[in-house]
Amino acid sequence: MLISEMMTTDVATVTEDASLSKAFQILHDRKHKVLPVVREDKLVGLLSEKLLAEVKPSKSTTLSVYELNYLMTRTKVKDVMLKLKDVHFTNPAALVEDAALVMYSLDIGSLPVVEDDKTVVGIITQTDIFKAFISLMGVDHKGTRLSLDIPNNTGMVAKISKIVTDADINISNINNLDRGNGRHDMVLRIDTKDTADLVAALEEADVKVSDVRVFE
């Protein structure tokens, strides 16, 4: 699955010469946690909710409201933003799973999506990753979910697929989870709720069925 298929295209941006008060307002109005900073639509930096919180004067400051507003209005985004060299971003042709790995490894909630010339075309967020996971796992699909405990042997996928096909049942989703002990958890989503004969056929072929769940 490509980033371009799952990214959010309606992404708010801010220019580097905008004030911090404007950036705060955009984050508040759009309920975003990050703002790509652009110059003629090209990514030049990143402003995050966390970064803004670090530079915003605390409630214990002796500055008056007027002084605070003046400070936030006079301070430019470019004065506090992450520069491009420190920004992690991705490309619309990249894979969703690669973006998920980067976000997980770096403990960040989103990545700007840019073309090769750094033009901002979207953003991929944790919510988008969750949507991709739901789609890949077929979570919202009606029918039956079968969990199979299988050895990590060549030909097991073909063997199981043939058993299901011979039962005249369609597989809507198939996923493998490596358990790290020479075995896999294979999850099948199939287009039927009548699984008794299929389960019997799988077990007769020495395929362990560990869980069966029907979704209406």
Side-chain angles (χ1 to χ4, degrees):
M1 187 176 291
L2 302 180
I3 295 289
S4 59
E5 298 175 295
M6 299 304 302
M7 70 183 186
T8 299
T9 56
D10 182 22
V11 53
T13 61
V14 67
T15 63
E16 57 191 330
D17 289 322
S19 66
L20 286 190
S21 59
K22 180 178 180 179
F24 267 113
Q25 191 64 50
I26 294 174
L27 284 170
H28 178 269
D29 292 345
R30 297 294 295 269
K31 296 181 173 59
H32 288 345
K33 294 187 179 298
V34 298
L35 280 176
V37 183
V38 298
R39 183 189 306 144
E40 296 181 352
D41 296 328
K42 304 290 195 300
L43 185 69
V44 294
L46 191 72
L47 201 60
S48 67
E49 186 178 59
K50 180 180 178 181
L51 187 59
L52 283 172
E54 291 175 354
V55 300
K56 184 178 181 181
S58 69
K59 293 181 179 179
S60 61
T61 182
T62 57
L63 294 175
S64 69
V65 172
Y66 302 104
E67 290 171 321
L68 284 173
N69 288 336
Y70 177 79
L71 177 63
M72 297 300 290
T73 301
R74 295 286 294 178
T75 304
K76 302 298 184 183
V77 166
K78 62 184 177 184
D79 297 328
V80 299
M81 71 181 188
L82 282 177
K83 301 298 191 293
L84 183 60
K85 64 182 179 64
D86 299 316
V87 176
H88 297 279
F89 52 85
T90 187
N91 186 274
L95 299 175
V96 169
E97 52 263 42
D98 290 337
L101 181 59
V102 171
M103 291 163 64
Y104 173 75
S105 300
L106 299 175
D107 191 24
I108 55 179
S110 58
L111 291 172
V113 183
V114 300
E115 298 285 5
D116 292 339
D117 65 352
K118 299 300 184 292
T119 298
V120 177
V121 293
I123 195 166
I124 187 85
T125 68
Q126 288 179 334
T127 299
D128 298 321
I129 298 295
F130 290 149
K131 289 178 181 177
F133 174 80
I134 289 171
S135 177
L136 288 170
M137 292 295 293
V139 174
D140 56 354
H141 191 84
K142 308 303 180 184
T144 301
R145 178 188 186 275
L146 294 179
S147 293
L148 311 178
D149 180 357
I150 62 173
N152 185 19
N153 295 340
T154 302
M156 282 302 298
V157 174
K159 175 182 177 179
I160 292 168
S161 296
K162 185 177 186 306
I163 294 172
V164 178
T165 299
D166 289 346
D168 196 26
I169 296 173
N170 179 58
I171 299 175
S172 57
N173 290 86
I174 181 170
N175 291 278
N176 270 336
L177 174 64
D178 187 355
R179 295 168 58 182
N181 58 356
R183 301 191 68 81
H184 279 183
D185 284 328
M186 177 182 285
V187 178
L188 300 179
R189 293 270 180 169
I190 56 177
D191 293 336
T192 184
K193 300 173 185 177
D194 183 8
T195 62
D197 291 343
L198 175 59
V199 170
L202 288 167
E203 292 181 341
E204 185 177 346
D206 293 325
V207 178
K208 181 181 178 181
V209 180
S210 56
D211 188 67
V212 180
R213 304 194 185 202
V214 176
F215 293 88
E216 301 292 343

